[in-house]
Amino acid sequence: MRVTSLSLANFKAIGSATQVIEFKPITLLFGPNSAGKSSLIQALHYLYEIFERDNCDPGHTQIGGDLDLGGFRNLVHGHDLDATIRLGIGIELGNSLLPTYGSTEYIAEEEEHTALGESLSTDQVFDLAGVKSADVTIDIKWSELEKKAFVSHYSVQIDDEPFAFLHCYDDSRQASLKALNSEHTMFDVPAEEGESDDTVGARLLDHFNELSKRLPLQIDSGRGAMPRFGELLGLMPAGAFEPENAESFSRFVHYISRVMVGTGELVLKCLRQFLYLGPLREIPGRHFMPERSPGLDRWSSGLGAWDQLYNEGEDLADKVNDWLANDERLDAGYAVNYTEYKPLALDSPLMVALQGGSELLESPDWIKEQLGSVDTRRQVTLHDLRSDIDLYPEDLGTGISQVLPVLVAALGHNKNIVAVEQPELHVHPKFQVALGELFLHAIKGDGREAETVFILETHSEYMMLRFLRRLYETANDELDPDAHALTPDELAVYYVNPIEDKTEITHLRLTEEGEFLDRWPNGFFPERKKELF
């Protein structure tokens, strides 16, 4: 499963016109300072807060560390409380299926289509296991009545066509299911062989109207228009049912829930796998102790990378060193090194025995017992390959400490989304070129087709040039034996540009040979030409 798109309107510098980013495995965000590049990453944090925590008015975020979104007033375009933020996220299901919600006396699990077909007197109801892609779009408004932000609209698209939406009124308490698309391609099939006018969709619409008595079906989720995940959509029938209609209603709710609730659950699953590495990475001190069970919030400062190096040990260090110390890659002249030790308190029995020359030291079993009672600790250092000495991270130049979390994020994870602000921070142009190669390895290395999307907010001309070169080499069959191929389907370049009081996001398309089809706004790094000529 992979995140494929993000759409935004009325979010921070993005105005009322919806702008869309189509994610590729490597997605680059360029643009001047304060143009709004970071806002695109913040939109993902906001979506996480809403889907996971029902938090439409967030300050500090759960996985953003010290990132403070400032609440709805700060997030809505122009700080206009009368405006509505619209955010959408698309996913490609791959091998994943829309979740199911258990069996009942009417329905066997994963057979919702069969059960609904019984109510519609057809065996042609679409099997939801065949869904390939889905999109969820939500509107977030400010309720002057309730003095809070809430989700007023929640819509789902299946395979690029609208399916249905949930709408909530301004009191944020009552919502309803609306606009069930009976003309969706999945329903546009004959209900009976040879009856082209009698489609599954037409029968579904009649069935829906009968169940709802032509009134919107109300839901009670307690989350505005957002459904509660992990359970059936809380649709309430319009009045009492005869027993046979109660069975039909249950079948309908199970089928609809798998789409309306299940799609949101899959989006949440992706957002829970969102790793964010901020632009200023903290350098651990000499006596740094890792978190035993670190959360993703530790990554915003870069400390999550050091936690992982401490906790995972040699396997991860070998991967990092293959890039950090390899003279054909970063060639930094340093390698991650581990020292394991047991700290002994001065008044511990073993230390007292050592200081006093006790006869207890003649007992190997006693020494083993004492050592076994003390936790083993690990110290991570950077071994200087030129001088053959170990150094603490804070004893090195800033560049190494800044790039190491980027290496761990790329090599040590298979998250759905890895967003890195300024991966090239404080590093030499040679390193920046190698970072381009690193991200190619992350999406293509070890023969795997990773589902990770790397969102790189960057100013690096050198990293961009490496990608363009690799496109050309791939198209012209000039790849080195160990080089990873790259095609335009795997790379997206966006330029974020402030225009008056709004921000525009321009997709810069690429040819197979690494040429831009679209004009680079203001020229491709024009500063170089100005300085040279």
Side-chain angles (χ1 to χ4, degrees):
M1 184 166 60
R2 186 173 70 86
V3 173
T4 56
S5 66
L6 173 70
S7 60
L8 313 91
N10 277 329
F11 183 79
K12 301 201 77 171
I14 306 295
S16 58
T18 299
Q19 304 208 41
V20 180
I21 293 179
E22 300 287 345
F23 292 126
K24 300 294 175 65
I26 297 175
T27 301
L28 305 177
L29 305 178
F30 284 93
N33 292 329
S34 299
K37 301 184 298 297
S38 297
S39 297
L40 305 181
I41 295 174
Q42 290 175 18
L44 293 170
H45 284 285
Y46 192 28
L47 282 166
Y48 174 86
E49 289 293 310
I50 294 170
F51 275 72
E52 179 70 279
R53 304 176 66 198
D54 194 25
N55 184 10
C56 297
D57 193 23
H60 286 285
T61 62
Q62 192 170 65
I63 59 177
D66 291 333
L67 175 65
D68 186 351
L69 294 181
F72 179 84
R73 183 186 294 270
N74 186 60
L75 294 172
V76 68
H77 181 67
H79 298 181
D80 180 5
L81 291 183
D82 292 327
T84 298
I85 295 174
R86 173 163 289 184
L87 297 175
I89 186 166
I91 57 174
E92 187 178 89
L93 272 63
N95 294 325
S96 298
L97 297 175
L98 292 172
T100 59
Y101 299 98
S103 57
T104 69
E105 59 180 307
Y106 305 130
I107 302 166
E109 190 170 5
E110 297 185 5
E111 293 185 3
E112 293 86 355
H113 65 291
T114 302
L116 181 60
E118 291 180 12
S119 295
L120 302 181
S121 302
T122 179
D123 59 4
Q124 298 300 310
V125 174
F126 182 78
D127 184 351
L128 294 173
V131 172
K132 295 180 175 61
S133 67
D135 301 77
V136 175
T137 301
I138 58 173
D139 288 355
I140 309 100
K141 296 178 62 176
W142 181 262
S143 170
E144 191 60 35
L145 179 66
E146 300 285 333
K147 300 296 182 185
K148 68 176 185 180
F150 69 102
V151 175
S152 62
H153 185 91
Y154 171 99
S155 64
V156 173
Q157 283 196 153
I158 295 297
D159 295 334
D160 299 321
E161 295 181 53
F163 183 85
F165 66 80
L166 304 174
H167 181 76
C168 181
Y169 302 98
D170 285 348
D171 63 4
S172 77
R173 297 174 183 174
Q174 192 175 44
S176 57
L177 174 68
K178 292 188 175 182
L180 178 63
N181 183 15
S182 60
E183 296 181 1
H184 193 290
T185 299
M186 68 169 68
F187 302 131
D188 190 23
V189 294
E192 302 289 342
E193 187 174 349
E195 297 290 335
S196 58
D197 293 334
D198 182 18
T199 64
V200 171
R203 293 190 183 185
L204 178 63
L205 181 61
D206 289 342
H207 188 60
F208 176 69
N209 289 333
E210 179 183 352
L211 292 175
S212 65
K213 297 180 171 57
R214 297 187 179 276
L215 297 172
L217 286 174
Q218 303 298 314
I219 68 166
D220 180 16
S221 73
R223 305 181 68 192
M226 288 285 288
R228 290 187 178 278
F229 300 132
E231 60 186 59
L232 291 170
L233 193 63
L235 289 172
M236 296 178 287
F241 279 146
E242 297 296 327
E244 61 273 15
N245 283 342
E247 181 176 345
S248 291
F249 188 75
S250 177
R251 291 167 174 169
F252 175 80
V253 170
H254 270 75
Y255 192 89
I256 297 299
S257 295
R258 195 170 177 193
V259 177
M260 301 301 290
V261 183
T263 299
E265 278 194 44
L266 292 184
V267 167
L268 177 56
K269 185 176 180 180
C270 289
L271 293 171
R272 284 172 174 166
Q273 296 292 308
F274 172 27
L275 188 152
Y276 164 66
L277 184 57
L280 298 174
R281 273 80 86 178
E282 190 174 336
I283 302 173
R286 288 179 175 81
H287 304 293
F288 173 77
M289 291 298 294
E291 293 284 340
R292 290 184 180 273
S293 302
L296 288 175
D297 62 303
R298 295 272 292 175
W299 273 90
S300 64
S301 67
L303 291 180
W306 297 97
D307 291 334
Q308 193 170 344
L309 278 171
Y310 273 77
N311 293 329
E312 290 195 15
E314 299 289 349
D315 288 344
L316 178 57
D318 288 345
K319 292 179 181 179
V320 171
N321 287 337
D322 194 34
W323 281 86
L324 191 64
N326 191 323
D327 59 8
E328 294 183 357
R329 290 175 170 173
L330 286 173
D331 192 21
Y334 297 94
V336 176
N337 188 45
Y338 290 100
T339 301
E340 291 189 338
Y341 65 97
K342 288 181 177 289
L344 293 178
L346 290 176
D347 60 351
S348 66
L350 182 54
M351 183 61 79
V352 171
L354 287 169
Q355 292 173 329
S358 171
E359 294 181 356
L360 290 170
L361 297 175
E362 298 177 7
S363 172
D365 290 339
W366 183 82
I367 294 174
K368 185 176 180 180
E369 179 184 350
Q370 294 301 310
L371 288 173
S373 66
V374 181
D375 289 338
T376 299
R377 294 185 181 177
R378 177 181 287 149
Q379 180 68 58
V380 175
T381 57
L382 278 298
H383 185 72
D384 189 329
L385 299 174
R386 291 157 292 207
S387 62
D388 197 29
I389 60 173
D390 288 336
L391 299 170
Y392 291 102
E394 62 183 357
D395 297 326
L396 299 173
T398 305
I400 300 298
S401 63
Q402 295 300 295
V403 79
L404 194 141
V406 179
L407 291 173
V408 178
L411 300 170
H413 284 284
N414 191 20
K415 302 295 185 188
N416 278 105
I417 309 166
V418 176
V420 184
E421 293 197 61
Q422 299 181 42
E424 75 278 9
L425 191 68
H426 292 302
V427 299
H428 188 275
K430 177 185 175 182
F431 274 30
Q432 295 180 38
V433 171
L435 286 177
E437 203 66 47
L438 169 73
F439 291 115
L440 287 171
H441 175 83
I443 67 168
K444 304 291 283 290
D446 304 321
R448 65 191 175 99
E449 293 296 328
E451 294 182 334
T452 302
V453 169
F454 286 95
I455 305 171
L456 309 177
E457 189 258 281
T458 180
H459 298 284
S460 177
E461 175 185 9
Y462 299 99
M463 195 159 59
M464 181 75 255
L465 290 173
R466 172 48 57 99
F467 293 135
L468 297 180
R469 170 184 166 180
R470 188 50 49 82
L471 287 169
Y472 178 87
E473 290 173 340
T474 301
N476 290 279
D477 198 22
E478 295 180 6
L479 287 172
D480 290 338
D482 296 330
H484 297 296
L486 182 66
T487 68
D489 290 336
E490 297 165 322
L491 176 68
V493 181
Y494 288 89
Y495 192 87
V496 183
N497 199 26
I499 299 177
E500 297 180 350
D501 65 336
K502 298 181 179 65
T503 289
E504 287 190 358
I505 304 170
T506 303
H507 180 207
L508 303 176
R509 296 170 299 161
L510 289 158
T511 69
E512 290 187 352
E513 294 198 339
E515 298 288 339
F516 284 105
L517 287 168
D518 303 291
R519 181 179 177 274
W520 191 282
N522 307 316
F524 180 65
F525 290 95
E527 295 78 13
R528 168 183 290 214
K529 183 182 292 185
K530 290 178 182 178
E531 293 301 311
L532 286 175
F533 302 108

